[in-house]
Every structure is written in structure tokens, then in C-alpha cells.
Amino acid sequence: MAKYFDVHPDNPQPRTIGAVADSIRNGALVAYPTDSCYALGTRLGSRDGISRIRAIRDLDDRHHFTLMCANFAQLGQLVHIDNDVFRAVKASTPGAYTFILPATKEVPRQLLHPKKKTVGVRIPDHVVTQALLAELGEPLLSSTLLLPDEAEPLTQGWEIKERLDHQVDAVLDSGDCGTEPTTVVDFSSGEPEIVRRGAGDTVRFE
């Protein structure tokens, strides 16, 4: 059964955040809130976590996982980014955007798009997510909590606990965080290509 952690949306309890971070370090798969919707998260190098996310969401090997970063220092270790792209990404973060960029050697091979060798990265604008990332001290491998054959992501922590009780190890609940996933912008060619229109405004990329 999944452990259930209830935290304040504006002032998350440090002890609770610490417990969730510890579980991730030990290989746990957790459901957690972001500034767009709930996500599934696991440690960057966790093969078991990756396979469990694929199973829950019924994903193939072409799916772009997202590396959730606390700041640009983390993001810069994971992707190659030139000055023009840097300025565009910097102007949109933190926020509800995922950017697809060429990955560095710091990113495990199984996370990369098999042909493009790219990965998704983002810096969230959410108090609880930022607290978790700060405590964890490393990027969090993530994927939107959108179940197969469902139109919208799950939005309530109690429902996630109920439906995925034997598929995730922990649920971090800070209240409703919406149903709209991030806007995805592919910068792998150097020019912005809007892959998915979501919570982030697309005007600056058009």
C-alpha cells in the first residue's frame, strides 16, 4: 500500500518533505503535485521506477520523460543549450513548460528519445515541488499522471491513493493542482516547435 503524505500548499512541513525525499532516494515511485497537474516521480537512475511509470501509463520507448529541476544549475548539467535557446527558456521559467533539448552524458540512456537523443526538462513554479527538489538535491525523473484511455490527469491526492495504491509507493498531497499538463516546446533543432499546447502561454514561441 502507498504511504499518504498531506502537506500544506504554501508552507509544506519540512519533516514530511524530508520523508518523501528519503523514499525517492531509496528507489520509491511517488505521485506528487506540480504547477500544471500531478506527476509520477522517481530517482533519475532508477530502472525499476522507469519501468513502473511505463507500465502505469502504458508508454512506449519514444515517450519523452521529464527531468524536473530545481534551477538552471541542475538543468544545465542535463541538456545542451545555446545562448539563444537559453534566453527563451530562462524567460519562461519557472513555469508550466517542458523543453525538449539534446541530452548530455549525465542523462541515463534509457531516458533518451531513441533516435533524437533528447530529453524533456523543466523548472516548476510550485512551492511543494520546489521544496521536494531542494530536499532531494537532484533532478526528479517525472511523467504526467495521465492514465491510459483517460482524457485528463488525476487531480486529487486521495483518488490517486485509492486508484494506484498498489502501483506507487507514496502520494504527496497538497490539494488540487489542476488538470492541464505543461506546454511542451521542442528546441532540439534550435528553433521552437510547439509539441503540446498546455498550461504555459505559447505566444513567445510562435
Side-chain angles (χ1 to χ4, degrees):
M1 291 177 62
K3 293 181 179 178
Y4 182 78
F5 298 93
D6 189 11
V7 295
H8 193 281
D10 300 315
N11 297 289
Q13 300 89 319
R15 182 177 295 180
T16 302
I17 295 296
V20 177
D22 283 342
S23 71
I24 293 169
R25 292 189 193 99
N26 291 324
L29 175 62
V30 304
Y32 71 98
T34 77
D35 51 344
S36 57
C37 52
Y38 271 86
L40 295 167
T42 191
R43 195 170 188 183
L44 183 56
S46 174
R47 288 179 177 272
D48 178 64
I50 293 167
S51 64
R52 290 168 70 189
I53 291 173
R54 288 191 190 279
I56 290 170
R57 293 205 51 203
D58 191 21
L59 301 172
D60 62 27
D61 64 357
R62 295 186 302 275
H63 176 75
H64 270 110
F65 283 97
T66 297
L67 301 180
M68 196 75 74
C69 302
N71 49 45
F72 264 94
Q74 283 187 353
L75 187 146
Q77 295 175 350
L78 302 170
V79 291
H80 297 290
I81 183 167
D82 65 28
N83 288 338
D84 289 340
V85 175
F86 175 86
R87 283 192 290 269
V89 172
K90 180 79 170 174
S92 304
T93 53
Y97 296 91
T98 299
F99 298 101
I100 297 172
L101 289 158
T104 67
K105 292 181 180 179
E106 298 294 317
V107 181
R109 184 176 297 176
Q110 67 265 32
L111 299 184
L112 305 182
H113 187 283
K115 292 184 178 179
K116 296 181 177 182
K117 307 305 180 190
T118 50
V119 71
V121 289
R122 87 180 194 90
I123 301 173
D125 186 17
H126 191 279
V127 172
V128 174
T129 319
Q130 281 289 348
L132 179 60
L133 291 169
E135 179 65 28
L136 190 61
E138 61 185 57
L140 184 59
L141 168 63
S142 299
S143 184
T144 302
L145 212 176
L146 179 62
L147 299 180
D149 302 319
E150 296 200 7
E152 293 187 340
L154 299 179
T155 62
Q156 301 289 342
W158 62 266
E159 183 185 8
I160 294 167
K161 159 76 169 154
E162 198 172 78
R163 295 185 60 179
L164 300 180
D165 203 19
H166 299 287
Q167 293 175 274
V168 301
D169 301 303
V171 177
L172 181 59
D173 188 357
S174 65
D176 192 348
C177 59
T179 61
E180 194 170 18
T182 57
T183 289
V184 179
V185 184
D186 188 341
F187 269 111
S188 58
S189 68
E191 295 295 325
E193 177 189 350
I194 299 168
V195 177
R196 179 179 70 196
R197 295 177 187 274
D201 190 348
T202 60
V203 170
R204 73 181 66 211
F205 304 110
E206 294 178 302

